[in-house]
Amino acid sequence: MDYFTRLDQIENYINKMGRVSTVDLSKKFKVSEQTIRKNLSELEKEDLITRIHGGAKKKSGFKDRLEINKASKKKLCQEVAKLLSREDVVFLDGGTTYYYLPDFVDTDLNCKFITFSTLLAQKLIEAKHKNVYLLGGLINPNTLETFSYEALEMIRQMHFNLAFFGTSNFS
């Protein structure tokens, strides 16, 4: 088996299993653990998997993260919706925390929503919110957020009266 075929097969196996050890991969692909570590480094460098101690796990995408603490996210969005008032200008970050907000916001409030999140912008539009601004740029395939220096410059010129941010972790 050639190098690139093995990399593809390792990536597919990790995505299928979710999480695997270096030892298991070494046995499955009949190569040394050192070779597997090099292969995992290459896959991580290409942003295809996530290295963990002793192995690797599949890269979690937006849809995967959306399911984590779903009930808490919905409850938070329900409380955030109570804070909104008529014609607020609201910035929503691109994470999964505020994805459920459109389910709880009355469209009669006529709020303006600004976000980097392609899926949140789409959900706001589908919920009949008329003033939705998607900041542009390159789309990150894992987070489905846009990014560009021009968008950051646009934010510097905007005035929000509310902004909501999520966080992935602390260290």
Side-chain angles (χ1 to χ4, degrees), residues 47 59-66 91-97 99 114-124 132-148 168:
D47 203 28
K59 196 85 172 161
S60 64
F62 187 91
K63 301 272 184 179
D64 297 321
R65 292 189 324 278
L66 200 54
F91 177 82
L92 299 169
D93 84 351
T96 60
T97 303
Y99 178 79
I114 297 103
T115 186
F116 286 108
S117 171
T118 59
L119 291 179
L120 180 54
Q122 179 181 356
K123 187 160 182 169
L124 285 159
V132 179
Y133 298 83
L134 177 63
L135 297 166
L138 181 66
I139 298 173
N140 179 320
N142 292 318
T143 63
L144 300 175
E145 296 172 276
T146 60
F147 175 80
S148 72
S168 296

Side-chain angles (χ1 to χ4, degrees), residues 23-112:
V23 173
D24 290 342
L25 288 169
S26 174
K27 288 176 184 173
K28 177 163 181 59
F29 292 98
K30 297 176 178 51
V31 294
S32 71
E33 289 180 43
Q34 183 62 30
T35 297
I36 291 295
R37 283 188 205 94
K38 288 178 184 176
N39 294 159
L40 294 178
S41 291
E42 183 64 29
L43 290 169
E44 184 177 50
K45 187 168 69 173
E46 296 295 322
D47 203 28
L48 298 171
I49 55 106
T50 301
R51 295 281 309 268
I52 57 173
H53 181 72
K57 66 180 184 174
K58 76 177 186 176
K59 196 85 172 161
S60 64
F62 187 91
K63 301 272 184 179
D64 297 321
R65 292 189 324 278
L66 200 54
E67 296 302 315
I68 299 169
N69 299 320
K70 186 174 183 176
S72 296
K73 289 174 184 176
K74 285 187 172 192
K75 179 78 172 148
L76 177 68
C77 288
Q78 193 172 20
E79 294 302 314
V80 166
K82 293 176 186 176
L83 300 173
L84 301 180
S85 50
R86 191 158 202 60
E87 302 197 14
D88 277 337
V89 180
V90 183
F91 177 82
L92 299 169
D93 84 351
T96 60
T97 303
Y98 300 103
Y99 178 79
Y100 300 103
L101 185 60
D103 299 339
F104 303 103
V105 177
D106 184 353
T107 57
D108 291 338
L109 288 178
N110 200 34
C111 293
K112 290 181 183 172

